[in-house]
């Protein structure tokens, strides 16, 4: 590991170039001479997206409010089963691991996060979170992509890049203009199948073509990037193949993420997803299992980062596109709601409960109204964690130490 | 732009015929392009529209296997129908609707229901869109997928009501939150019992509602009709068809023209596609090779073009690796498609899949045949069958060097299949 890091720093420029080939930065940024020789081991943001609309009220439970128990005759969680966090809130019974992290001062939970005029469409609301724009429909760029773009303009920070781990589609949040994210399913997904004599012939065919159509040029660029980096990736994966990670899918993906961060590709953003939160019916067992996976995986990830000695430069943001209605529906589930809690995990977060706790006696249209604009969390991440200029006109929350 | 294309001499050529076969189906088999050229444009379009019979044994083959409950078996079966090419346009259209009404086994968790929905797309997919939409609204897999399984008057479930407007029928901006809430009331009473969709009168909200300007004691069918009556609906469907069959970013005037065509054909998808496939627009330079092939297209094009034996189950697995697991779209919006198919991760998956197809080619080569003759034949076959005139000189040179042993034939095939041009359709 030490050798790798030294090589990394000594051969800064070479590495920087290969990073651009990794699909982390588009060639245009390179041509503008915007790649510096130094690649400081910078901070990394890990984003865990809870897709489908997490029922925040059953994750961070307001157990002192009778209105909670009235609204949810079958789904409410008894206060004696919760992991108490103080101030009238407790974590879901299956989130013991996260509760222990909270006690250790490594979790910040922010109440009531959302935006004005809640949108109940999964896709539109997710788009809003991904683009940080609740008003205009932005299709091409996400807040993290733009963050990476801005960082590319600063020669000292040109090493940034983003990977989505666990699927094949690049999330909108990661798409930028000059930054060029990639997506991988798992550790095996980047090993090339070769035929004898094929690689040399293929390599003889590289290079752009004049007058080539846009799509064709795009495919060729991606193909060439892929070939040049797959070996490099494979090595990083091998290092991440250690045992003692819980069997949850999210935990496995986070183990890979830890390996990729440690390997020093200069990755700044890693994006993961935990799906299945759209619990309109019979949500009890299903939601519990998801929260358990989340809790156990975040906890294992934190331990892993600590063991690798890189916990100081990694923070994890956990969000969902919306919360759910306060009242349960007739199917023992909950329908799309508005605001919900956001979690930040890491050794450098300002621990504890933040923001205004939801008051279930003061719902708006049956929903928890938002009391913290999600963009004030994004701004904190941009400014106080990633150290780039913020793109949003909002005061950052104080979330990092 | 939808008027019939009248090719000048030489324009109805290999490229045009390949374009038709790749867009309206899953690509040419060996020798099929020549056949199409002989038929002429109208004969070729007619053939594309009427090649519509699956081998009975293959088509029925899934039935005894459904009891196993394995989604991989269902994926393999659909892939087998696609690769066999008995009804290319029907399967192509079914895949289009699978993406439009994207429903995932991951939540439905019932192979029989996924199969039944797939059969619905196959049966109705080239017919009247209104029938299709009404049928989708009562489809059991769809009810489970969008939480209509237990939709009560006391607690209307908004999920299906929202998607029927946002994704299936109208698109965002053409309805209000109020329409969604009112529509949800209309859908109450519908639910599932076992593997059936059922309507229970006592759970239906029979009160007055207003959806998209339609007023009355609207029920589920009325709500669907209100969506279909909205002028945005035909445009929404036209946009989907253009994205699937013409170009990734359809122009507004194409959308308007095709929507008009759809209405004048009384919502008949097959008749609308018949006009489209014979049109100036469909064969225009602007739209040729303008789409990045989806994983399913890529598998089918390569396996069919090279005429290699390839297990459908494996083909379906490779599609999943490349980002398109049949019956398991990422969400109700389906696959984004086009450039979203390709990044470093998925390109490596594409590369690996294509190399595997190329290796399968090796097994078809008679190693006793004279080497030189084999090489020549293979070179012609590869370049001719793959039909990518834009393939670079470099590929040609590589083929010349490579094509002299079974192994190097596979290398040559791999060069073609992994060339970026092959992935443009």
């Amino acid at each position: 590991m030490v050798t790798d890091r030294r090589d990394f720093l000594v051969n800064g420029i070479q590495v920087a170039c290969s990073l651009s080939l990794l699909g982390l930065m588009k060639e245009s940024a390179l041509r503008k001479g915007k790649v510096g020789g130094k690649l400081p081991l910078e901070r990394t943001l890990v984003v865990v997206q809870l897709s489908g609309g997490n029922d925040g009220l059953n994750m961070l439970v307001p157990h002192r409010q009778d209105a909670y128990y009235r609204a949810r005759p079958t789904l409410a969680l008894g206060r004696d089963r919760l992991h108490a966090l103080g101030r009238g809130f407790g974590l879901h019974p299956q989130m013991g691991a996260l509760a222990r992290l909270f006690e250790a001062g490594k979790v910040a939970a922010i109440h009531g996060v959302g935006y004005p005029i809640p949108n109940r469409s999964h896709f539109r609301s997710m788009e809003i979170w991904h683009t940080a724009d609740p008003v205009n429909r932005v299709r091409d760029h996400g807040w993290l992509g733009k963050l990476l773009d801005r960082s590319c303009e600063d020669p000292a920070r040109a090493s940034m890049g983003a990977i989505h781990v666990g699927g094949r589609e690049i999330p909108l949040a990661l798409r930028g203009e000059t930054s060029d994210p990639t997506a991988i399913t798992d550790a095996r997904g980047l090993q090339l199948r070769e035929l004898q004599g094929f690689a040399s012939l293929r390599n003889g065919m590289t290079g752009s073509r004049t007058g080539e159509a846009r799509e064709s040029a795009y495919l060729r660029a991606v193909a060439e990037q892929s070939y040049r980096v797959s070996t490099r990736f494979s090595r990083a994966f091998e290092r991440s193949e250690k045992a003692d990670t819980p069997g949850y899918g999210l935990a496995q993906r986070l183990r890979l993420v830890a390996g990729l961060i440690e390997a020093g590709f200069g990755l700044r953003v890693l994006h993961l997803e935990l799906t299945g939160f759209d619990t309109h019916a019979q949500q009890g067992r299903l939601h519990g299992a998801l929260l358990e996976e989340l809790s156990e995986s975040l906890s294992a990830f934190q331990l892993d980062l600590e063991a690798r000695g890189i916990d100081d430069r990694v923070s994890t943001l956990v969000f969902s596109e919306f919360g759910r209605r306060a009242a349960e529906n007739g199917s023992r589930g909950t329908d799309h709601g508005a605001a919900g809690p956001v979690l930040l995990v890491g050794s450098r977060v300002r621990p504890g409960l933040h923001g205004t706790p939801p008051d279930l006696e003061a719902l708006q249209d049956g929903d928890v109204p938002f009391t913290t604009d999600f963009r004030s969390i994004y701004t904190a991440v941009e400014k106080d964690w990633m150290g780039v200029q913020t793109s949003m006109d909002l005061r950052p929350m104080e979330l990092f130490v | 732009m939808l008027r019939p294309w009248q090719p000048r001499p030489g324009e109805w050529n290999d490229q045009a015929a390949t374009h038709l076969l790749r867009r309206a189906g899953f690509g040419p088999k060996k020798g099929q392009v020549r056949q199409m050229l002989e038929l002429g444009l109208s004969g070729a379009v007619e053939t594309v529209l009427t090649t519509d019979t699956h081998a009975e044994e293959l088509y029925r083959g899934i039935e005894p296997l459904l009891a196993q409950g394995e989604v991989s078996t269902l994926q393999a079966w659909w892939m087998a129908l696609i690769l066999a090419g008995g009804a290319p346009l029907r399967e192509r259209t079914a895949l289009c609707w699978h993406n439009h009404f994207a429903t995932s086994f991951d939540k439905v968790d019932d192979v029989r229901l996924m199969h039944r929905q797939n059969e619905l797309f196959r049966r109705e997919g080239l017919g009247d869109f209104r029938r299709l939409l009404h049928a989708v609204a009562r489809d059991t897999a769809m009810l489970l997928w969008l939480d209509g399984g237990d939709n009560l008057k006391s607690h209307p479930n908004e999920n299906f009501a929202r998607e029927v407007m946002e994704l299936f029928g109208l698109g965002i901006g053409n309805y209000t939150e109020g329409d969604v809430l009112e529509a949800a009331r209309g859908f109450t009473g519908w639910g599932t019992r076992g593997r059936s969709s059922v309507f229970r009168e006592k759970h239906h909200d029979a009160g007055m509602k207003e959806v998209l300007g339609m007023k009355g004691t609207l029920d589920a069918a009325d709500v669907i009709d209100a969506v279909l009556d909205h002028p945005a609906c035909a445009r929404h469907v036209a946009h989907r068809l253009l994205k699937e069959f013409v170009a990734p970013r359809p122009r507004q005037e194409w959308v308007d023209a095709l929507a008009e065509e759809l209405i004048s054909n009384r919502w008949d998808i097959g008749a609308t596609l018949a006009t489209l496939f014979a049109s100036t627009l469909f064969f225009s330079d602007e739209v040729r090779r303008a789409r990045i092939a989806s994983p399913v297209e890529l598998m089918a094009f390569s396996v069919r073009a090279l005429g290699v034996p390839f297990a459908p189950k494996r083909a379906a697995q490779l599609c999943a690796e490349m980002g398109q697991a049949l019956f398991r779209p990422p969400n109700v919006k389906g696959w984004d498609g086009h450039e979203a198919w390709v990044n470093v991760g998925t390109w490596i998956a594409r590369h690996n899949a294509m190399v595997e197809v190329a290796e399968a080619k090796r097994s078809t080569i008679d190693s006793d045949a004279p080497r030189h003759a084999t090489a020549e034949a293979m070179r012609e076959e590869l370049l001719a069958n793959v039909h990518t005139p834009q393939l670079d000189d470099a590929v040609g040179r590589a083929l010349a060097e490579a094509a002299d042993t079974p192994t190097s034939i596979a290398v040559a095939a791999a060069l073609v299949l992994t060339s970026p041009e092959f992935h443009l359709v």
Side-chain angles (χ1 to χ4, degrees), chain B residues 217-240:
Chain B
T217 55
L218 311 178
D219 64 11
D222 296 326
V223 172
I224 298 288
D225 282 337
V227 169
L228 287 162
D229 284 347
H230 192 288
C233 187
R235 289 199 297 270
H236 191 69
V237 176
H239 190 269
R240 168 62 70 183

Side-chain angles (χ1 to χ4, degrees), chain B residues 99-103 129 133 136 142 145-146 160 162-171 227 233 236-237 332:
Chain B
N99 196 18
H100 189 78
F101 299 108
T103 305
F129 179 80
L133 189 62
V136 164
M142 180 58 83
W145 169 240
L146 292 182
F160 181 76
R162 183 178 307 283
E163 303 312 2
V164 85
M165 296 190 194
E166 179 178 338
L167 297 173
F168 303 159
L170 301 177
V227 169
C233 187
H236 191 69
V237 176
V332 63

Side-chain angles (χ1 to χ4, degrees), chain A residues 120-121 123 168 182-183 190-191 193 196 198 202 205 209 214-215 218 220 223 227 280 329-331, chain B residues 147 150 155 162 166 249 321 332 338 342-348 351-352 356 359 392 395 411 421:
Chain A
R120 293 183 208 285
S121 151
F123 306 100
R168 284 306 194 189
T182 198
L190 285 171
Q191 281 148 12
R193 188 180 178 114
Q196 206 190 344
F198 178 36
R202 185 189 66 229
M205 290 165 50
R209 310 277 184 275
R214 179 186 134 157
E215 269 79 17
Y218 171 73
R220 193 177 306 285
Y227 296 136
H280 286 276
N329 61 24
S331 328
Chain B
D147 306 299
D150 197 9
H155 291 86
R162 183 178 307 283
E166 179 178 338
R249 285 175 279 267
E321 287 285 311
V332 63
H338 198 52
V342 181
N343 57 57
V344 168
T346 53
W347 181 267
I348 288 178
H351 170 101
N352 290 349
E356 202 168 321
E359 283 172 341
D392 307 283
V395 171
V411 169
E421 290 82 353

Side-chain angles (χ1 to χ4, degrees), chain A residues 49-195:
Chain A
Q49 169 180 308
L50 310 179
S51 301
N54 177 33
D55 183 15
L57 289 172
N58 267 20
M59 178 174 86
L60 191 57
V61 182
H63 62 74
R64 276 191 209 143
Q65 302 185 30
D66 290 339
Y68 167 72
Y69 292 95
R70 284 199 305 274
R72 301 186 159 197
T74 73
L75 292 179
L77 299 160
R79 65 196 69 179
D80 49 327
R81 297 168 58 207
L82 300 171
H83 300 280
L85 303 181
R87 294 204 246 167
F89 284 86
L91 282 171
H92 188 282
Q94 281 162 275
M95 298 188 89
L98 195 74
R100 285 190 291 280
L101 269 192
F102 188 92
E103 275 166 40
K106 287 168 182 166
V107 180
I110 305 123
H111 288 300
V113 186
Y115 51 86
I117 315 173
N119 194 298
R120 293 183 208 285
S121 151
H122 292 293
F123 306 100
R124 178 59 192 142
S125 193
M126 198 56 99
E127 226 170 59
I128 288 170
W129 279 82
H130 277 220
T131 59
D133 192 336
V135 181
N136 304 300
R137 197 108 197 244
V138 183
R139 292 176 180 281
D140 300 334
H141 306 123
W143 77 283
L144 295 166
K146 286 193 285 188
L147 184 154
L148 296 173
D149 285 348
R150 282 200 303 289
S151 308
C152 283
E153 287 164 15
D154 176 353
R157 299 184 189 283
S159 65
M160 300 178 73
I163 298 188
H164 172 66
V165 177
R168 284 306 194 189
E169 301 230 345
I170 307 252
L172 179 58
L174 298 188
R175 295 185 201 159
E177 270 177 66
T178 49
S179 56
D180 196 6
T182 198
I184 59 176
T185 304
D186 58 28
R188 291 158 306 170
L190 285 171
Q191 281 148 12
L192 277 181
R193 188 180 178 114
E194 288 289 4
L195 277 164

Side-chain angles (χ1 to χ4, degrees), chain B residues 237-256:
Chain B
V237 176
H239 190 269
R240 168 62 70 183
L241 294 175
L242 287 162
K243 250 178 90 164
E244 179 72 25
F245 293 101
V246 177
R249 285 175 279 267
R251 292 169 188 265
Q252 190 57 48
E253 63 259 35
W254 306 349
V255 174
D256 294 341

